């Protein structure tokens, strides 16, 4: 029995994509013999802008990846076998462990496998965070390297300009030196004569002493203030103008299992089936909601949301203590939101906007929604806030005729404050 379990575990490892930690979908194999889901590999290459193996970091020489049909057929057979075993209510990897029946999904589950799947999902989240952190610092390093090259180029250009200014002055000095040397020779010839001859033949050949050194005129000296002045500050300020800043970041620990958040945690969409996520108390369970990572208990705050032509969405704010098991989206239950459901705006008769600004004034107790197209007011709530409020978002399934599949929090260049 133990040998069978070890064999099953080996097969599972062989058929698992090291990127998404799921059974291969359209598997492709690189020259280094590592295999991945085709979509996972392409996504990894696009995000890192390089064609390297995610496991061994070896660069791939293949321009086109071809599906490994033998491995694909093996995965299909394995998945069918798992489905048949699940229908039988028995886990082949853990036959000695009594299975449990999930009422929500109406199927038998293995408690050991479910724990492992939850752990793998957590590990995958950690892997994504590490990769994104590395990518961000790589981008910043590249920016600093490019700035260094630009500054050194400016310094070389300034040195070249100064040299072009000095060269004519050096030519004038050489001419002056040659004239002085000629005068010295003539004086030396006159001094070699007798005193009487010198007096009779002396002619004043000396002229006022010429200026040998260059006069410090405009452009003659190196413009150090131009190439070196406030160097670190100017680079820092330029970096701030290139870095995008999002006023609201989504909290994945609160996201309903059906929601799919982007890796930078600023957009969300929904998929048909929920994924396995930890059943932590912060997470919404029966309604596809997610909160922002930072709450507000004072001051004024605003953020812009791009909804496009998506047909089903909810945006607004929610109290920290809202019911996350069975939420009721009304102010008396801690939700101040603007909703758009299946093409019908339940809060206003105005035509659906493409971008919406949410404005929270905690002290005055108002939550307002504006159409960013013309900054017209859509809706304002007036209430008394007594606890921390969090940005709140929800999205439904998109229709076939909708170009917008996600709703997104708009980013702006980071503001550099002196």
């Amino acid at each position: 029995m133990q040998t069978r379990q070890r064999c099953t575990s080996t097969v599972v490892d062989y058929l698992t994509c090291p990127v998404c930690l799921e059974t291969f979908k359209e598997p492709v194999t690189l020259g280094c013999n590592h295999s991945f889901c085709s979509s996972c590999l392409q996504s990894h290459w696009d995000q890192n802008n390089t064609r390297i193996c995610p496991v061994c970091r070896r660069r791939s020489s293949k321009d086109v990846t071809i599906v490994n049909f033998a491995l694909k057929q093996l995965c299909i057979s394995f998945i069918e076998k798992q489905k048949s075993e699940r229908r039988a209510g028995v886990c082949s990897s853990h036959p000695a462990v009594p299975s449990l029946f999930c009422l929500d999904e109406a199927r038998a589950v293995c408690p050991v496998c479910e724990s492992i799947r939850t752990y793998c999902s957590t590990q995958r989240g950690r892997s994504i965070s590490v990769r994104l952190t590395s990518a961000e610092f790589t981008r910043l390093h590249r920016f600093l390297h490019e700035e260094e090259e630009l500054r050194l180029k400016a310094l070389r250009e300034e040195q070249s300009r100064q040299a072009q200014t000095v060269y004519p002055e050096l030519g004038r000095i050489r001419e002056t030196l040659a004239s002085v040397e000629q005068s010295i020779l003539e004086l030396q010839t006159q001094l070699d004569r007798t005193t009487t001859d010198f007096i009779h033949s002396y002619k004043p050949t000396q002229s006022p002493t010429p200026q040998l050194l260059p006069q410090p005129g405009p452009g003659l000296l190196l413009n150090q203030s131009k190439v070196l002045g406030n160097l670190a500050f100017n680079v820092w300020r330029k970096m701030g103008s290139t870095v995008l800043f999002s006023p609201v970041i989504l909290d994945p620990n609160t996201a309903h299992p059906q929601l799919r958040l982007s890796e930078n945690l600023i957009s969300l969409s929904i998929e048909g089936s929920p994924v396995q996520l930890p059943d932590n108390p912060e997470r919404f369970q029966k309604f596809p909601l997610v909160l922002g990572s930072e709450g507000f208990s004072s001051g004024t705050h605003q953020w812009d949301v791009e909804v496009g032509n998506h047909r089903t969405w909810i945006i607004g704010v929610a109290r920290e203590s809202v019911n996350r098991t069975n939420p009721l989206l009304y102010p008396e239950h801690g939700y101040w939101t603007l909703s758009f459901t299946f093409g019908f705006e339940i809060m206003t008769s105005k035509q659906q906007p493409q971008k919406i600004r949410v404005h929270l004034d905690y002290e005055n107790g108002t939550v307002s929604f504006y159409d960013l197209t013309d900054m017209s007011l859509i809706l304002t709530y007036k209430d008394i806030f007594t606890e921390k409020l969090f940005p709140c978002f929800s999205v439904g399934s998109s229709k076939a005729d909708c170009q917008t599949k996600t709703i997104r929090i708009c980013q702006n260049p980071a503001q550099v404050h002196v």
Side-chain angles (χ1 to χ4, degrees):
M1 183 67 68
Q2 291 179 354
T3 302
R4 178 186 177 186
Q5 291 178 357
R6 284 197 298 268
C7 292
T8 303
S9 176
T10 302
V11 172
V12 171
D13 292 340
Y14 179 73
L15 300 180
T16 298
C17 172
V19 175
C20 66
L21 301 180
E22 299 289 344
T23 304
F24 288 120
K25 303 178 187 65
E26 298 298 316
V28 295
T29 303
L30 299 180
C32 57
N33 292 324
H34 291 121
S35 300
F36 309 91
C37 298
S38 177
S39 58
C40 294
L41 180 63
Q42 191 61 48
S43 176
H44 178 81
W45 283 353
D46 292 343
Q47 291 171 357
N48 293 275
N49 196 25
T50 181
R51 301 176 69 86
I52 61 174
C53 172
V55 175
C56 66
R57 317 299 292 178
R58 178 181 173 182
R59 183 173 297 276
S60 174
S61 59
K62 295 183 178 180
D63 295 332
V64 178
T65 55
I66 301 175
V67 174
N68 187 333
F69 287 100
L71 183 58
K72 178 180 178 180
Q73 190 60 43
L74 187 59
C75 292
I76 294 175
S77 301
F78 178 73
I79 292 174
E80 291 298 326
K81 180 180 178 182
Q82 282 189 320
K83 289 181 179 179
S84 63
E85 290 177 348
R86 278 199 294 267
R87 285 193 293 268
V90 178
C91 174
S92 60
S93 299
H94 311 95
V97 180
S99 60
L100 302 177
F101 189 82
C102 177
L103 294 177
D104 292 335
E105 301 181 15
R107 66 180 180 91
V109 296
C110 172
V112 177
C113 290
E114 290 299 315
S115 299
I116 294 174
R117 188 176 294 109
T118 300
Y119 172 79
C120 290
S121 298
T122 303
Q123 292 299 105
R124 180 188 176 191
R126 292 175 180 173
S127 176
I128 291 175
S129 295
V130 170
R131 177 163 51 82
L132 289 178
T133 301
S134 177
E136 282 296 310
F137 276 98
T138 299
R139 187 172 64 85
L140 293 176
H141 293 160
R142 186 184 304 116
F143 170 83
L144 290 175
H145 178 72
E146 291 173 354
E147 279 299 305
E148 179 185 8
E149 291 297 322
L150 287 175
R151 304 295 168 167
L152 291 175
K153 180 181 178 182
L155 179 59
R156 289 191 293 267
E157 291 176 350
E158 179 63 19
Q159 291 173 333
S160 176
R161 182 205 60 77
Q162 182 201 27
Q164 293 175 1
T165 304
V166 170
Y167 285 154
E169 292 293 332
L170 292 177
R172 186 186 63 81
I173 292 174
R174 293 190 185 98
E175 293 176 358
T176 303
L177 287 175
S179 177
V180 171
E181 289 176 354
Q182 182 63 33
S183 299
I184 292 174
L185 290 175
E186 292 177 359
L187 288 175
Q188 187 64 46
T189 301
Q190 294 179 9
L191 289 175
D192 291 340
R193 299 176 181 178
T194 61
T195 303
T196 303
D197 293 338
F198 175 78
I199 294 175
H200 287 291
S201 63
Y202 173 76
K203 295 180 180 180
T205 59
Q206 291 184 337
S207 61
T209 304
Q211 180 69 40
L212 298 181
L213 296 178
Q215 293 296 321
L220 183 62
L221 301 179
L222 181 68
N223 191 345
Q224 298 186 43
S225 61
K226 176 182 178 181
V227 296
L228 299 177
N230 287 329
L231 177 61
F233 173 80
N234 290 333
V235 173
W236 173 59
R237 183 169 58 183
K238 185 176 180 181
M239 178 184 290
S241 65
T242 61
V243 175
L244 293 179
F245 165 75
S246 177
V248 172
I249 298 297
L250 301 175
D251 183 0
N253 293 337
T254 66
H256 184 273
Q258 260 187 298
L259 292 178
R260 300 294 184 269
L261 308 185
S262 62
E263 291 187 346
N264 57 4
L265 302 178
I266 63 169
S267 64
L268 66 152
S269 60
I270 195 168
E271 294 190 8
S273 58
V275 297
Q276 296 293 331
L277 294 174
D279 188 14
N280 51 305
E282 303 92 347
R283 192 175 306 282
F284 288 93
Q285 297 297 334
K286 294 186 178 181
F287 196 84
L289 282 168
V290 62
L291 299 182
S293 60
E294 181 181 359
F296 310 112
S297 55
S298 63
T300 59
H301 309 272
Q302 67 181 25
W303 53 95
D304 301 334
V305 185
E306 184 175 2
V307 295
N309 67 343
H310 203 292
R311 300 295 182 86
T312 309
W313 47 260
I314 299 172
I315 59 176
V317 297
R319 282 200 304 252
E320 186 174 18
S321 62
V322 293
N323 186 334
R324 308 194 184 197
T325 302
N326 189 22
L328 299 174
L329 305 183
Y330 301 102
E332 56 267 29
H333 296 284
Y335 293 91
W336 294 267
T337 61
L338 181 71
S339 304
F340 193 87
T341 307
F342 300 114
F344 177 70
E345 200 346 65
I346 63 176
M347 294 298 181
T348 177
S349 59
K350 180 180 175 66
Q351 184 178 359
Q352 179 186 3
Q354 301 293 302
K355 289 185 179 180
I356 300 172
R357 172 162 295 174
V358 183
H359 183 89
L360 168 65
D361 189 333
Y362 194 95
E363 279 74 17
N364 289 330
T366 60
V367 181
S368 302
F369 302 87
Y370 298 88
D371 184 348
L372 273 182
T373 302
D374 53 9
M375 287 308 299
S376 58
L377 178 64
I378 302 174
L379 175 69
T380 294
Y381 287 102
K382 180 69 176 178
D383 214 324
I384 299 176
F385 303 137
T386 58
E387 62 177 276
K388 185 176 290 188
L389 301 179
F390 286 79
C392 177
F393 305 86
S394 178
V395 65
S397 300
S398 59
K399 299 296 182 180
D401 59 341
C402 291
Q403 294 181 350
T404 306
K405 304 299 181 183
T406 65
I407 65 173
R408 181 178 64 89
I409 303 163
C410 299
Q411 292 180 293
N412 299 305
Q415 298 298 317
V416 178
H417 301 285
V418 180

